[in-house]
Amino acid sequence: LWSVSDGECLKTLQGHSAYVMSVAFSPDGRTVVSGSDDETLKLWSIPGGVCLKTLQGHIDCVSSVAFSPDGRTVVSGSYDETLKLWSVPGGVCLKTLQGHSAWVFSAAFSPNGRTVVSGSVDTLKLWSVSSGECLKTLQGHSMYVNSVVFSPDGKTVVSGSNDNTLKLWS
């Protein structure tokens, strides 16, 4: 944890047994979630810096983590080709979203928390949080989709890819 004002390291969080791929603050700033190549997610108390819970269920690297806007759910994307929705703070897997045929690199919630977007090798998928069903597959990149995010109004998704492009999707 770093102080933005002076660049000082405030605390080091240790507990993963392999490299950390993704981190995200909860909306209230009191919790951090991390995803690791050790196939786990960890929920951390801030500012205490202690691990509250280790979430297990993926069978490969956890490459992306994100909190829902209300902070009650975390989505994780994995090289095991799935996404998982987790309850916070319980750490229980609520749903496994299956449909990608390759590594999942990135995932994000819509501003209203009802939809998740995920990026994989050459596709994006939109998912219903309530049902876990794939709503739409978006194709257009020719290489890995490394980053996805919803616009603040939830009407547009931006994807970034190894094909050296950003794409805007309605």
Side-chain angles (χ1 to χ4, degrees):
L1 299 173
W2 300 89
S3 167
V4 175
S5 61
D6 61 13
E8 294 287 323
C9 180
L10 303 173
K11 193 167 294 282
T12 299
L13 309 179
Q14 294 180 317
H16 283 291
S17 61
Y19 47 86
V20 177
M21 298 288 292
S22 184
V23 295
F25 267 105
S26 62
D28 67 7
R30 297 174 58 189
T31 307
V32 165
V33 63
S34 57
S36 171
D37 191 44
D38 66 10
E39 303 174 4
T40 70
L41 293 82
K42 291 188 181 288
L43 294 171
W44 304 89
S45 168
I46 305 302
V50 296
C51 181
L52 300 171
K53 182 92 48 181
T54 299
L55 289 59
Q56 296 179 308
H58 284 292
I59 56 171
D60 207 334
C61 175
V62 178
S63 54
S64 182
V65 293
F67 273 95
S68 62
D70 66 7
R72 295 175 21 183
T73 308
V74 165
V75 64
S76 58
S78 172
Y79 287 7
D80 67 10
E81 303 175 5
T82 70
L83 295 106
K84 291 186 182 290
L85 297 171
W86 306 86
S87 68
V88 177
V92 175
C93 181
L94 302 170
K95 289 183 181 67
T96 299
L97 311 180
Q98 296 180 302
H100 281 291
S101 59
W103 296 349
V104 177
F105 292 109
S106 185
F109 277 94
S110 63
N112 66 13
R114 290 187 229 146
T115 308
V116 164
V117 61
S118 57
S120 184
V121 168
D122 60 355
T123 64
L124 290 82
K125 289 188 181 287
L126 294 170
W127 305 87
S128 165
V129 171
S130 61
S131 71
E133 293 180 33
C134 179
L135 303 171
K136 191 168 294 237
T137 299
L138 307 173
Q139 296 180 304
H141 284 290
S142 61
M143 295 184 75
Y144 298 169
V145 179
N146 293 311
S147 187
V148 293
V149 66
F150 276 91
S151 63
D153 66 5
K155 294 180 180 177
T156 307
V157 168
V158 178
S159 57
S161 170
N162 279 11
D163 65 11
N164 302 332
T165 68
L166 301 170
K167 291 195 181 289
L168 300 173
W169 309 83
S170 62

